[in-house]
Amino acid sequence: MTNLNRRDLLAAFFAGGVATTFPVNRLPAATAVNDQLQVAVIGLRGMGNGHLRRLLKRGDVRVATVCDVDAQVCSSAADKVKQEAGHHPTQVEDFRRVMDDKTIDVVVVATPHHWHCPIAIRALQAGKDVYLEKPGSHVLREGRLLVEAAQKYNRVVQHGTQMRSSNVTAKAGEVLASGLLGEIKMSKAWNCQRHTQRQPVPNSPVPSHVNYDIWLGPAPLRPFNANRFHGNWNWYRDYGNGDIGGDGIHDIDMARWGLGVTEHPVKTTAHGSRIALVGEREFPDNMMVAHHYPEGKVLLYEDRGWTPYGPHGFDSGNAFYGTEGMMVFSRRGYFQVYMGQEREEGPGMRGNAGHPDHFYNFLDCVRSRQQTIAPPEVGHLSCSLVHLGEIAYRVGRVLKFDRKTETIVGDDEANRLLTKEYRQPWGIPETI
């Protein structure tokens, strides 16, 4: 690209202006209950509570059921529905009652990670559409089974990487597609925060208001421990995916999007360690992962769980490196282009982080039966980068990945980590 062409492109972008909002197709509020989608929310803390609030703003849906293994959490959510929507939803602690309810159209899954795919697949088999929080899979094999289930049962699924629906992503995508940055050869994702870890505590009796057996579900049976329960389970491999699969999946998803790759990598390397040796966790507090693609492209991921700062001023972000320029991008609602050796400033904007548009895109697609902006295959390709990075770290070797069979070449130990054993009766069938 010549300097003249670059200046012409920059001028064209600035002359056209940068939009601050993008229209989202919204359905009119329904006037009758029988026109409303009947929704069940499973998992009502954190993101589940946020999705409940978003549902209550839509006139074309009705929160029919709230489900949580913690009766206190479930009751609080039901009271919120009663206060804001004027009806009291059914309260259940066992998600299987939701699957049995033929009147439920839509299921929102916002549980700990180890329950995401087992519940989602059961919901698809029961004929329900699913909004599935990230990561859509706890281990890599689950992601392929989710794709197969959505296809077989012809259901609508949205993966909860909401930056896919941001106005910032839409405008940044225009810039990337224009060729202004040349060919994007490398992308980098980072997630840098200062986490505090709990000190070990002894096991204790299960709280009387909690169904702990269902909370454990497919995870190994073990005594109740407060460190492994509300607000802290993601630091333990039986239930979560650590930094890389907690917040990191958002940035990894955007790194894959910006790099423009739509298949698995063929090689993965990773390393990490514990720097802040305080508190209890089963994951490293820093990681560096590199995924290599056969066309020569590279996707990098970095996390640091002991710092209060991140590159370019963002705790969560991306850099897309092209042959002519680069883009700094963040799911905090920002992108900025820098061109050439002089880092000439190019297009940029601040906007939203994808909520609530991502959730509403799902609801609109349930009505239209169109594909969502983050369907299961999109989620699987990004979540696989989480799992391959974690496996490469754990075995301490370079992984060579067979894209067709979704297996690791010549490494039995690593291949075993692509799946896991499930405590019965909560397992997932190997074929859907």
Side-chain angles (χ1 to χ4, degrees), residues 40-86:
V41 182
I42 302 176
L44 292 159
R45 300 182 78 252
M47 290 302 296
N49 183 50
H51 295 321
L52 181 65
R53 294 197 307 270
R54 281 179 273 278
L55 285 165
L56 292 173
K57 294 182 183 299
R58 293 272 294 216
D60 61 329
V61 301
R62 181 176 185 271
V63 179
T65 301
V66 290
C67 175
D68 201 286
V69 297
D70 187 324
Q72 293 180 352
V73 171
C74 198
S75 177
S76 177
D79 290 345
K80 184 177 184 64
V81 175
K82 174 65 175 177
Q83 179 181 359
E84 297 193 18

Side-chain angles (χ1 to χ4, degrees), residues 326-373:
M326 68 170 291
M327 177 186 290
V328 175
F329 179 97
S330 174
R331 68 184 178 94
R332 304 309 181 195
Y334 170 89
F335 84 84
Q336 181 63 56
V337 165
Y338 301 96
M339 300 300 302
Q341 186 174 355
E342 298 80 16
R343 287 178 59 85
E344 181 181 2
E345 195 169 283
M349 73 173 287
R350 289 188 179 272
N352 66 49
H355 281 314
D357 291 344
H358 196 62
F359 195 73
Y360 293 164
N361 168 257
F362 164 69
L363 294 175
D364 292 347
C365 288
V366 169
R367 291 280 194 181
S368 69
R369 310 314 294 172
Q370 299 298 307
Q371 182 168 270
T372 60
I373 201 167

Side-chain angles (χ1 to χ4, degrees), residues 42 95-107 118-130 149-150 152-155 432:
I42 302 176
F95 72 90
R96 291 174 295 185
R97 304 291 78 78
V98 174
M99 308 307 153
D100 294 339
D101 188 344
K102 303 301 184 183
T103 69
I104 298 296
D105 304 304
V106 170
V107 171
I119 291 177
I121 288 178
R122 285 170 169 83
L124 296 172
Q125 291 175 325
K128 305 178 192 310
D129 299 314
V130 177
K152 178 176 180 178
Y153 299 103
N154 194 27
R155 308 317 303 168
I432 299 302

Side-chain angles (χ1 to χ4, degrees), residues 137-157:
S137 52
H138 189 218
V139 290
L140 193 144
R141 175 61 180 156
E142 288 183 345
R144 178 53 57 195
L145 294 175
L146 181 69
V147 171
E148 293 173 358
Q151 292 172 344
K152 178 176 180 178
Y153 299 103
N154 194 27
R155 308 317 303 168
V156 173
V157 178

